[in-house]
Amino acid sequence: MAGIHITDIESAINWWRERSPSPDGISACNEVRALAEIYALLVYGQRSECSETAMPAAAQAAWLAWYGTTPDAPCIAICSTSQGDAICKGCGRTFEEVQQWPGMTPAEKRGSWRRITQQGTAWRFNRYAERARETPARLP
């Protein structure tokens, strides 16, 4: 099972902090507290990922709410895997990732997003960056 990277947990915490700011500068909403506990355990244990299935329900729900605001697929409608490339020049996903995407879990998808973002070699990051900035509609 895929893991949720600490940077995604941090992004979710920040999203919730912006969405539900502290009324007194000290207290945090329930979602931030649930995610902060996971974040602290990762830092304490010197780990970078937690299992998506081992997260407590409140933390998982808070993470999934943040995840729902992120683009689903990195596709920019220029697919070179259909022409036989092992890695798509447009989005940076492997042929297997493109094929399996609809059945992947949110954590698996975020793992692919993390890898292609770190590599930064796909056309979505250079030639066609303006297409990547457009947020495609999510399918139900």
Side-chain angles (χ1 to χ4, degrees):
M1 191 52 64
I4 298 173
H5 197 269
I6 193 168
T7 56
D8 275 357
I9 293 171
E10 183 176 9
S11 293
I13 289 170
N14 289 332
W15 181 80
W16 277 106
R17 286 179 63 213
E18 186 176 308
R19 183 168 189 205
S20 190
S22 172
D24 57 11
I26 298 171
S27 58
C29 67
N30 292 336
E31 293 83 1
V32 168
R33 288 198 315 267
L35 290 165
E37 182 177 346
I38 301 300
Y39 187 88
L41 289 171
L42 289 173
V43 170
Y44 182 76
Q46 298 180 348
R47 297 184 3 236
S48 62
E49 289 186 347
C50 69
S51 166
E52 71 179 315
T53 58
M55 285 179 88
Q60 188 173 37
W63 185 81
L64 286 170
W66 165 80
Y67 171 80
T69 68
T70 64
D72 181 54
C75 182
I76 60 168
I78 299 174
C79 189
S80 69
T81 60
S82 61
Q83 299 168 356
D85 288 345
I87 305 251
C88 179
K89 290 181 178 103
C91 71
R93 290 180 291 173
T94 65
F95 176 78
E96 291 77 21
E97 287 169 333
V98 171
Q99 296 298 310
Q100 300 301 320
W101 198 263
M104 291 171 71
T105 67
E108 290 169 334
K109 289 178 180 182
R110 289 300 304 165
S112 295
W113 267 104
R114 179 172 165 70
R115 179 187 51 74
I116 66 169
T117 302
Q118 285 179 327
Q119 290 171 344
T121 56
W123 288 350
R124 81 175 341 271
F125 299 109
N126 47 48
R127 294 184 190 176
Y128 297 97
E130 71 281 355
R131 285 189 185 188
R133 284 190 287 277
E134 297 172 9
T135 304
R138 283 188 164 269
L139 297 176

